[in-house]
Amino acid sequence: AQSVAQPEDQVNVAEGNPLTVKCTYSVSGNPYLFWYVQYPNRGLQFLLKYITGDNLVKGSYGFEAEFNKSQTSFHLKKPSALVSDSALYFCAVRDRERGGGNKLTFGTGTQLKVEL
Amino acid sequence: EPEVTQTPSHQVTQMGQEVILRCVPISNHLYFYWYRQILGQKVEFLVSFYNNEISEKSEIFDDQFSVERPDGSNFTLKIRSTKLEDSAMYFCASSEGLGVYNEQFFGPGTRLTVL
């Protein structure tokens, strides 16, 4: 069964500093990987995805993520954090080998807090 | 920008009562999904729906749950006899197609509280 782990419940960063939100995954085959962000009272918003190709994926709002197959990780990064980046971040995986279905498996989420 | 909408934002019900959660997917999307998140836990897949049929469902989606697209715009999740453990945030999502290049767009969620 596919699964995702986000080891940190909360990450605190000063504005202007780089941020990293960690994610590791487990699938039987090769993964499709996603990051979503949730602002208060809003739905999950798509940030970026890894399908194939370049291990460094660039997404919305200056975020990027690096796929590392040997470490089964897909950490979310941003070179310079903004206070407006404060939100709940979810990593998700879809097992490429399953075929057919489009089910996403999510992690528990990481609350990012960016302070002045 | 088109959005997935959900109503109500918060639903309070008594144990054993039926509830219907409503969603309006993005208009040109063909695939619809329900997920839920129990407080402090993972977002969990419940069911996917295409062409008026369930295409995939999880173990959570037992006989107490049903989904329907009653008209051309709404997509509903019904829980026939709610239990305390059904208390959660329920998210509706839709996608244009099935392939991985078609992202799922999520609504803001309905918080269901079962007393």
Side-chain angles (χ1 to χ4, degrees):
Chain A
Q2 55 196 46
S3 65
V4 173
Q6 294 182 244
E8 302 153 318
D9 291 335
Q10 182 160 320
V11 170
N12 297 319
V13 178
E15 188 175 54
N17 283 0
L19 70 86
T20 299
V21 182
K22 295 179 181 176
C23 171
T24 58
Y25 66 89
S26 174
V27 296
S28 57
N30 291 311
Y32 297 127
L33 294 157
F34 304 82
W35 276 101
Y36 282 83
V37 60
Q38 185 180 30
Y39 297 98
N41 302 315
R42 300 292 301 276
L44 300 169
Q45 295 179 35
F46 170 78
L47 270 182
L48 51 77
K49 66 185 175 190
Y50 170 81
I51 305 300
T52 187
D54 195 346
N55 289 343
L56 185 64
V57 178
K58 294 189 184 297
S60 307
Y61 312 121
F63 283 93
E64 57 190 28
E66 186 166 11
F67 171 64
N68 187 317
K69 187 173 182 179
S70 63
Q71 296 185 4
T72 62
S73 67
F74 189 57
H75 301 330
L76 181 70
K77 301 181 180 184
K78 187 173 182 182
S80 179
L82 299 172
V83 171
S84 57
D85 293 330
S86 298
L88 186 58
Y89 290 81
F90 290 95
C91 182
V93 67
R94 176 186 160 194
D95 189 343
R96 184 183 305 192
E97 301 302 324
R98 290 191 73 250
N102 208 17
K103 163 189 163 183
L104 293 175
T105 298
F106 285 88
T108 50
T110 298
Q111 185 70 48
L112 173 66
K113 188 174 181 182
V114 183
E115 299 167 311
L116 289 170
Chain B
E1 184 178 332
E3 291 183 329
V4 176
T5 59
Q6 291 184 242
T7 55
S9 57
H10 191 187
Q11 174 89 46
V12 181
T13 190
Q14 296 290 325
M15 188 170 55
Q17 295 296 304
E18 175 183 287
V19 294
I20 298 176
L21 309 183
R22 302 181 192 281
C23 168
V24 179
I26 294 173
S27 62
N28 64 331
H29 285 187
L30 300 177
Y31 294 83
F32 315 115
Y33 314 85
W34 284 101
Y35 292 80
R36 79 173 186 189
Q37 185 182 29
I38 295 171
L39 188 62
Q41 298 186 23
K42 299 180 180 184
V43 176
E44 302 170 293
F45 169 80
L46 292 178
V47 66
S48 60
F49 188 87
Y50 169 70
N51 199 25
N52 285 318
E53 290 185 344
I54 290 173
S55 49
E56 188 176 3
K57 61 182 180 179
S58 71
E59 294 175 352
I60 303 168
F61 195 87
D62 61 22
D63 292 344
Q64 292 297 315
F65 291 89
S66 63
V67 289
E68 190 179 26
R69 188 154 164 83
D71 52 43
S73 59
N74 289 284
F75 178 52
T76 62
L77 174 68
K78 181 192 290 186
I79 309 175
R80 289 189 182 82
S81 178
T82 50
K83 304 190 266 295
L84 295 176
E85 55 265 35
D86 293 327
S87 294
M89 180 74 88
Y90 288 80
F91 293 105
C92 174
S94 68
S95 65
E96 189 173 353
L98 184 61
V100 71
Y101 291 98
N102 294 282
E103 291 90 33
Q104 294 180 29
F105 291 81
F106 285 77
T110 293
R111 180 167 298 284
L112 176 65
T113 302
V114 182
L115 303 175

